[in-house]
Amino acid sequence: MLLAAGARYARRLCGRGAAAALQGCTGRNCARDVSTSWSPVGAAFNVKPQSHLWDLLGERRGLFGVPELSTPEGFQVAQEEALKKTEWLVERACSTPPGPQTVLIFDELSDCLCRVADLADFVKIGHPEPAFREAAQEACRSIGTMVEKLNTNVELYQSLQRLLDDKKLMESLDAETRRVAELFMFDFEISGIHLDEEKRRRAVDLNVKILDLSNAFLMGTNFPNKIRKSLLPEHIQHHFARDGSHLIIDGLHAEASDDLVREAAYKIFLYPNANQLKCLEELLSSRDLLAKLVGYSTFSHRALQGTIAQTPETVMQFLEKLSEKLSERTRKDFEMMQGMKTKLNPQNSKLMPWDPPYYSGVIRAERYNIEPSLYCPFLSLGACMEGLNVLFNKLLGITLYAEQTFKGEVWCNDVRKLAVVHESEGLLGHIYCDFFQRANKPQQDCHFTIRGGRLKEDGSYQLPVVVLMLNLPHASRDFPTLLTPGMMENLFHEMGHAMHSMLGRTRYQHVTGTRCPTDFAEVPSILMEYFSNDYRVVSQFAKHYQTAQPLPKAMVSRLCESKKVCTAAEMQLQVFYAALDQIYHGQHPLKKSTTDILMETQEQFYGLPYVPDTAWQLRFSHLVGYGAKYYSYLMSRAVASMVWKECFLQDPFNRAAGERYRREMLAHGGGKEPMLMIQGMLQKCPSIDDFVDALVSDMNLDFETFFLDSK
């Protein structure tokens, strides 16, 4: 399954016409001099973009510098070129004797398809013009059809099988090449190509059915519910949108101060929808059938192949031990929230599932003066970008430069392009920063790979290209873009993904950068959150945009301490979600309905009561992209916590630790088993107990004491 690296790990990968236009400096022979089109990164983000002469007079380059993509019709040209090259590569793969060249050809075939599919995958949701979005959508469909065709190409499968069957030949290959060959085979067999013709046809049909059900379920998770206005008290009706005689409930309104608003939203938004319930049941059942058809006892066993956890048994052991360690802390958190609710609403003081987000926020505000507007003046976007620049320079010898874009290269004039430059290796890749709000832009922060890195046949390195998408406010005439602490943390998080892509120097694009197991992919991004909450790092850049006064240490300490308020209850909720995900993807047929399972799991792993006539699982959108892998957020955080404490807590700018981090973790992408990378970084093989202890100990960390002691 040649497009599976992107699909398996939910990371977008990218674009072919890019081969010529994005080539630029391709690695080994690249000049070390600073380009005249580069400028300091901080200043570039604190000023509005300006038109340049070449925007008006220069040649139109096309999106990402790809000439064909100067118009929407260029996607047709790009996909035709990719499909033509694919046919040639398939013939080459089938006629080449088994050996390392086989893996190289398969990787080039994967790259050829991913370039168009993943570039189109970004454009279809990120481009503001409908014509570009529609053309990209059609390109995705066209490439998808080719992938389905290749997944059933027995001759192509057999050419890889011959290599894997030759044990002596496999032993002669280096570890990364062996792993990539095995990953290609794993992806092939997921589609059932190793089965007889009848079973293979069933596997293809199930894959198509699962894709359709996934899309339908995902749409249903956001679909609003309606209720007659007369059924809700008049004094809360203004909180909801109106549609004639009905009110539209399109979310949980978790931050609303009125308890009745939150209760009404929870009960109405989560009221079961029969079609959505049937869709979920069919999705879970189809996944189970496919897993059994291709040789796994459950879908979870199939999904966890190659991850840190490896098996569902290990995941449940992790979740159960974590739940046990959290239980007393969670009970105290609930008591604290119960007390606050009793204080504010004595007539209706029982703590319910719609209460924790609001009352934990009230407690934070009461204990710590952490109003975001107090922090914003110290966190201009330009200052934060310069802070990242300082951090990367000290840790990794990397400098971020703002690079001038050409006409047609970006999809919106406020998109900035960064060159990532190493002090001795030169240009490592490019990051396109799509940071600002605009109409119809997806309301999510995310990272897209537009081109994966790989070693090319001529010995040069294909440099990676990524997009970071945020939703920040625009600068105004009077002040630059100012970030809340949460926005700043999100920026650091997404830049962690970008650095993983930039520094993942793998031979094969199939395992480049973030193309790694899900429970490892979030480690670099979560680790960056620890840096963003350390005063020694923050003090390097957090200065008032008008007076240059530094952000007081006490304010950072208060912010860090406030984040520990009710964290046990928040983590317990994540444990509940992860356990529910495992049970849904475990043994089938399920012993009870998905709602009954939800009720039992909530009682065992959370503590707050199930609310009758609700079905939260029907809004659980992560069941699509993170099926059987929702635990990954918790496990990645555990690993990031251990790396932070072992390697960076004493000195967040430690160059030796930074180089080790690059060498042991970032450089390999998905080309090395994740536990081996963790072991190389920590100099030990962590146990489940180590992961649990890392998460729990984060709740005890006294940043203020550490900062004072380390002065």
Side-chain angles (χ1 to χ4, degrees):
M1 199 165 173
L2 295 165
L3 210 55
R8 186 172 62 241
Y9 304 132
R11 293 289 176 268
R12 330 271 172 154
L13 268 100
C14 106
R16 148 67 224 179
L22 279 175
Q23 211 151 18
C25 173
T26 52
R28 297 192 172 175
N29 301 318
C30 134
R32 304 290 191 263
D33 297 334
V34 175
S35 166
T36 55
S37 68
W38 293 343
S39 59
V41 69
F45 283 88
N46 270 354
V47 297
K48 288 190 173 184
Q50 298 175 349
S51 295
H52 294 271
L53 188 59
W54 53 80
D55 289 336
L56 303 172
L57 304 177
E59 175 190 357
R60 188 173 178 84
R61 293 289 186 95
L63 289 172
F64 300 105
V66 180
E68 298 95 326
L69 299 185
S70 58
T71 65
E73 292 73 26
F75 273 105
Q76 180 69 30
V77 177
Q79 72 194 44
E80 286 175 359
E81 286 182 1
L83 296 178
K84 185 177 179 181
K85 185 175 181 182
T86 294
E87 292 178 3
W88 174 73
L89 286 169
V90 168
E91 290 180 10
R92 193 175 164 206
C94 294
S95 61
T96 299
Q101 191 67 20
T102 304
V103 184
L104 286 170
I105 295 170
F106 266 77
D107 189 65
E108 189 174 358
L109 182 54
S110 176
D111 183 54
C112 179
L113 293 168
C114 283
R115 282 178 172 188
V116 177
D118 292 316
L119 187 146
D121 194 38
F122 165 71
V123 173
K124 76 180 183 183
I125 68 166
H127 203 290
E129 295 181 26
F132 268 100
R133 293 199 302 268
E134 290 165 11
Q137 180 70 54
E138 181 55 40
C140 286
R141 278 195 290 266
S142 176
I143 296 297
T145 301
M146 172 56 78
V147 170
E148 288 178 20
K149 184 178 176 182
L150 294 176
N151 288 344
T152 57
N153 188 321
V154 176
E155 190 179 358
L156 185 64
Y157 161 71
Q158 289 173 342
S159 70
L160 185 62
Q161 185 69 60
R162 284 193 293 272
L163 172 62
L164 271 73
D165 285 344
D166 191 328
K167 292 185 178 180
K168 189 173 181 181
L169 186 54
M170 284 292 288
E171 288 172 1
S172 72
L173 302 178
D174 63 89
E176 184 181 8
T177 301
R178 280 199 306 274
R179 179 170 171 80
V180 171
E182 289 163 357
L183 286 174
F184 275 125
M185 181 55 71
F186 174 72
D187 293 333
F188 257 131
E189 292 183 347
I190 278 178
S191 62
I193 198 168
H194 58 300
L195 305 174
D196 61 47
E197 189 173 346
E198 182 188 346
K199 289 181 179 179
R200 189 162 65 244
R201 189 162 53 247
R202 281 175 56 201
V204 170
D205 290 344
L206 278 169
N207 272 309
V208 171
K209 184 178 181 181
I210 288 168
L211 182 60
D212 291 341
L213 288 167
S214 296
N215 289 333
F217 181 77
L218 206 53
M219 287 181 63
T221 59
N222 293 310
F223 199 77
N225 280 338
K226 288 184 179 182
I227 188 171
R228 281 189 160 284
K229 285 192 295 186
S230 58
L231 295 177
L232 287 186
E234 191 172 340
H235 73 278
I236 70 168
Q237 291 181 12
H238 69 279
H239 288 274
F240 308 108
R242 297 185 178 222
D243 182 12
S245 60
H246 288 78
L247 296 173
I248 299 173
I249 317 297
D250 60 359
L252 294 175
H253 292 253
E255 304 299 329
S257 59
D258 190 320
D259 287 355
L260 191 55
V261 171
R262 296 195 310 278
E263 179 180 354
Y266 189 94
K267 289 180 175 179
I268 298 167
F269 188 63
L270 298 184
Y271 189 79
N273 176 290
N275 290 333
Q276 183 76 342
L277 189 61
K278 182 181 178 184
C279 183
L280 175 60
E281 290 169 350
E282 287 190 21
L283 174 61
L284 297 176
S285 175
S286 298
R287 282 175 168 174
D288 180 72
L289 287 172
L290 179 61
K292 286 186 169 71
L293 189 63
V294 297
Y296 293 90
S297 56
T298 69
F299 179 82
S300 189
H301 281 89
R302 195 198 89 171
L304 297 178
Q305 187 93 3
T307 62
I308 296 173
Q310 293 283 358
T311 68
E313 292 78 16
T314 301
V315 173
M316 288 307 296
Q317 184 186 14
F318 168 61
L319 296 174
E320 287 165 358
K321 287 191 172 189
L322 180 56
S323 185
E324 185 180 342
K325 282 285 182 79
L326 290 173
S327 61
E328 183 61 21
R329 293 169 184 263
T330 301
R331 184 184 63 78
K332 290 179 179 178
D333 283 355
F334 285 153
E335 285 179 358
M336 190 162 48
M337 288 184 264
Q338 176 87 60
M340 181 58 73
K341 186 173 184 181
T342 301
K343 175 181 172 183
L344 298 179
N345 188 4
Q347 271 71 45
N348 185 21
S349 60
K350 184 179 180 181
L351 194 69
M352 295 299 288
W354 52 79
D355 290 326
Y358 174 70
Y359 284 109
S360 60
V362 171
I363 293 167
R364 286 189 190 100
E366 187 176 87
R367 287 192 181 183
Y368 306 95
N369 186 14
I370 52 166
E371 170 58 41
S373 63
L374 297 174
Y375 289 83
C376 291
F378 297 92
L379 300 174
S380 73
L381 177 56
C384 293
M385 292 302 297
E386 190 53 46
L388 285 163
N389 194 33
V390 169
L391 177 63
F392 293 145
N393 191 262
K394 291 185 176 184
L395 271 184
L396 300 161
I398 284 171
T399 301
L400 304 176
Y401 291 101
E403 182 171 314
Q404 185 58 53
T405 57
F406 290 88
K407 183 179 180 181
E409 184 179 350
V410 295
W411 47 101
C412 191
N413 69 350
D414 58 16
V415 174
R416 311 293 207 280
K417 179 182 180 182
L418 299 183
V420 181
V421 183
H422 189 270
E423 61 191 15
S424 62
E425 298 168 35
L427 184 63
L428 298 180
H430 285 101
I431 304 169
Y432 287 83
C433 300
D434 187 355
F435 283 176
F436 301 103
Q437 298 166 348
R438 63 174 175 269
N440 300 318
K441 184 179 180 182
Q443 296 299 306
Q444 60 194 52
D445 297 342
C446 51
H447 160 277
F448 298 83
T449 303
I450 301 301
R451 184 176 69 191
R454 72 183 180 103
L455 187 63
K456 301 200 293 186
E457 284 192 53
D458 63 4
S460 65
Y461 199 80
Q462 176 173 289
L463 297 183
V465 177
V466 305
V467 171
L468 293 189
M469 183 184 284
L470 304 177
N471 278 276
L472 304 178
H474 285 274
S476 73
R477 181 184 301 175
D478 300 320
F479 49 83
T481 293
L482 301 177
L483 277 57
T484 64
M487 290 175 182
M488 185 265 281
E489 187 176 278
N490 286 350
L491 170 63
F492 272 64
H493 178 102
E494 297 302 333
M495 195 60 79
H497 284 310
M499 281 299 115
H500 198 181
S501 292
M502 294 296 108
L503 295 173
R505 279 304 192 259
T506 54
R507 184 182 308 176
Y508 305 101
Q509 69 81 39
H510 197 64
V511 290
T512 185
T514 55
R515 294 188 182 187
C516 56
T518 310
D519 55 5
F520 185 81
E522 292 294 328
V523 172
S525 53
I526 293 174
L527 180 61
M528 285 297 294
E529 295 177 22
Y530 286 87
F531 285 99
S532 75
N533 285 289
D534 189 289
Y535 182 73
R536 295 162 296 177
V537 175
V538 174
S539 65
Q540 297 286 316
F541 65 88
K543 295 178 174 57
H544 198 286
Y545 75 98
Q546 290 175 317
T547 66
Q549 173 195 351
L551 178 63
K553 180 184 291 188
M555 287 180 67
V556 177
S557 298
R558 284 203 308 270
L559 185 64
C560 292
E561 289 300 308
S562 75
K563 291 180 180 180
K564 293 186 283 185
V565 173
C566 299
T567 50
E570 291 173 3
M571 189 172 289
Q572 191 76 59
L573 183 63
Q574 296 302 309
V575 171
F576 158 45
Y577 293 163
L580 184 67
D581 175 43
Q582 286 301 308
I583 295 167
Y584 282 167
H585 291 100
Q587 292 294 335
H588 275 247
L590 296 174
K591 295 178 181 177
K592 298 182 178 181
S593 71
T594 59
T595 302
D596 286 340
I597 291 170
L598 169 79
M599 193 178 354
E600 286 186 359
T601 310
Q602 184 167 333
E603 182 180 348
Q604 180 183 354
F605 285 100
Y606 190 39
L608 294 186
Y610 166 77
V611 178
D613 294 320
T614 64
W616 178 84
Q617 76 275 20
L618 304 184
R619 302 292 186 178
F620 194 7
S621 60
H622 284 80
L623 287 174
V624 173
Y626 283 78
K629 294 185 281 192
Y630 190 81
Y631 78 94
S632 296
Y633 291 111
L634 289 168
M635 191 160 280
S636 286
R637 184 163 293 280
V639 175
S641 174
M642 295 176 75
V643 171
W644 170 256
K645 290 167 193 164
E646 292 286 332
C647 306
F648 298 110
L649 179 59
Q650 290 301 318
D651 178 7
F653 303 113
N654 186 311
R655 179 65 181 266
E659 292 294 346
R660 188 161 112 229
Y661 175 51
R662 178 185 181 183
R663 182 177 65 250
E664 298 291 347
M665 295 187 83
L666 298 179
H668 302 288
K672 190 174 181 179
E673 287 186 27
M675 190 58 90
L676 292 178
M677 291 189 273
I678 296 166
Q679 193 172 342
M681 188 66 196
L682 298 176
Q683 300 295 294
K684 68 174 184 178
C685 185
S687 65
I688 293 298
D689 288 327
D690 291 329
F691 290 147
V692 169
D693 290 343
L695 290 171
V696 174
S697 68
D698 271 357
M699 299 175 191
N700 300 326
L701 215 54
D702 187 345
F703 287 94
E704 176 68 15
T705 301
F706 176 77
F707 294 146
L708 293 175
D709 289 346
S710 63
K711 284 182 71 175

